Amino acid sequence: MAESNDKPGTGRHAKRISSILVTQPKPTNDVSPYFAIADKYGIKVDFREFIEVQPVSYKDFRKEKVNILEHTAIIFTSRNAVDHFFRTCQEAKIEMPAEMKYFCISEQTANYLQKYIVLRKRKLFVGQRTAADLFEVIKKHKNEKFLYPCSDIRKDDIPEFMRANGFKFTEAVIYRTVASDLSDLSDVKYDCIAFFSPSGISSLFINFPDFEQNGTRIAAFGPTTAKAVIDAGLELDIEAPQPNAPSMTGAIEAYIRLHHGADSNKEKSKNGKQSA
């Protein structure tokens, strides 16, 4: 991927952001806050997934020698985990028993679970948003035997917590996270790139090993993504969440206002027409 048009030494924050690449799928509706930013500030916003999820075949899953029905509780941390877990169950011709308990990292993941099963409140336990929130819930269920379906690339927090606290616990890799082919972006320039996982940073350098940041602003969501940006030798310009900006879009807009003022090119254009 090519760098921003900024020339070295002119000041990375001086150039107005006119284009943003969001390393996630394009929203399925028109109410995304990214579209609001694009409209308000006259900014071009594109979406492109930097990572792809590939299923672990049932043949490979069997090599892990994990017996799903030996467990009494399942931990879900994402929609991908839910999808690939129930795909694996279908291929194995396993039907979840009614007494199985489900521990979901957020309400969003819990609601998505309803795509596959009829939820019973006494069998569903939900964290607020983070793994740390979920730990407080899990602590009350010491006697369960937990299964954690996950990707080959995942954070260490859940396994470390489960082992440190003596829980009966099995980890099962049911999907893999790989870099997307981004070769079509080799001649495309963006003033800001928004990342949401360390895997996205890895994908950037897998696709463009000679990438130079120069004037491109880098945005990162979450502390592990921020650390990956810095470890890769890049400068982190926009970090979320922040107390005054809990979302990526909020952090980006705060940056725009701080460095370029509250008004936009689009708003200036409107004002110019009115005064003409």
Side-chain angles (χ1 to χ4, degrees):
M1 180 182 293
E3 67 277 3
S4 170
N5 287 324
D6 274 358
K7 294 181 180 180
T10 59
R12 60 188 299 100
H13 303 292
K15 185 176 188 256
R16 181 178 294 276
I17 290 178
S18 59
S19 60
I20 300 173
L21 178 61
V22 181
T23 61
Q24 284 188 327
K26 184 176 181 179
T28 56
N29 56 56
D30 295 330
V31 298
S32 168
Y34 288 106
F35 297 137
I37 285 180
D39 183 63
K40 183 175 181 179
Y41 295 99
I43 293 173
K44 175 187 177 183
V45 179
D46 290 337
F47 299 85
R48 181 63 179 275
E49 290 183 90
F50 270 40
I51 57 175
E52 296 179 358
V53 171
Q54 296 181 348
V56 169
S57 68
Y58 178 57
K59 179 180 178 181
D60 288 339
F61 174 76
R62 289 179 62 186
K63 294 177 182 177
E64 296 187 52
K65 297 181 179 180
V66 174
N67 187 333
I68 292 175
L69 294 180
E70 281 185 351
H71 300 81
T72 61
I74 315 293
I75 299 174
F76 288 121
T77 58
S78 70
R79 291 185 178 188
N80 280 328
V82 173
D83 283 336
H84 287 283
F85 174 76
F86 284 98
R87 170 192 57 79
T88 301
C89 289
Q90 183 179 26
E91 292 177 359
K93 298 180 179 179
I94 293 174
E95 185 174 343
M96 286 293 97
E99 61 271 17
M100 183 67 75
K101 295 180 180 179
Y102 302 93
F103 291 76
C104 297
I105 197 167
S106 66
E107 287 285 353
Q108 185 181 36
T109 304
N111 291 335
Y112 189 71
L113 189 56
Q114 296 180 79
K115 177 180 177 180
Y116 295 97
I117 61 172
V118 177
L119 295 179
R120 296 172 175 83
K121 288 186 178 180
R122 63 188 179 87
K123 301 296 181 183
L124 178 65
F125 307 90
V126 185
Q128 294 298 314
R129 191 167 64 91
T130 67
D133 298 328
L134 190 59
F135 295 159
E136 296 304 313
V137 180
I138 291 176
K139 286 178 181 178
K140 301 175 184 178
H141 299 269
K142 274 278 193 179
N143 296 325
E144 304 298 335
K145 186 173 183 180
F146 289 88
L147 177 65
Y148 174 40
C150 60
S151 168
D152 61 327
I153 300 175
R154 51 98 179 113
K155 296 179 182 178
D156 295 329
D157 48 4
I158 290 179
E160 287 179 353
F161 168 81
M162 301 300 282
R163 296 187 187 103
N165 289 274
F167 283 94
K168 296 177 181 178
F169 165 75
T170 305
E171 185 176 333
V173 174
I174 56 171
Y175 63 100
R176 297 187 178 93
T177 304
V178 300
S180 301
D181 180 2
L182 306 174
S183 55
D184 58 306
L185 295 179
S186 58
D187 294 320
V188 180
K189 298 177 175 65
Y190 288 95
D191 297 317
C192 177
I193 308 176
F195 291 94
F196 299 83
S197 71
S199 299
I201 302 296
S202 297
S203 178
L204 173 68
F205 285 98
I206 288 172
N207 280 276
F208 310 108
D210 298 324
F211 174 79
E212 294 181 6
Q213 183 175 358
N214 292 340
T216 301
R217 269 56 61 90
I218 300 294
F221 189 88
T224 57
T225 308
K227 183 177 184 299
V229 170
I230 295 168
D231 289 347
L234 302 174
E235 290 190 46
L236 179 60
D237 303 291
I238 304 169
E239 185 174 1
Q242 296 290 341
N244 63 333
S247 66
M248 177 64 87
T249 50
I252 290 173
E253 183 166 13
Y255 176 91
I256 292 171
R257 287 180 173 274
L258 176 64
H259 292 282
H260 309 311
D263 55 346
S264 67
N265 287 329
K266 186 173 182 179
E267 290 170 334
K268 286 182 178 179
S269 177
K270 287 181 180 178
N271 292 334
K273 290 180 180 179
Q274 290 173 353
S275 60

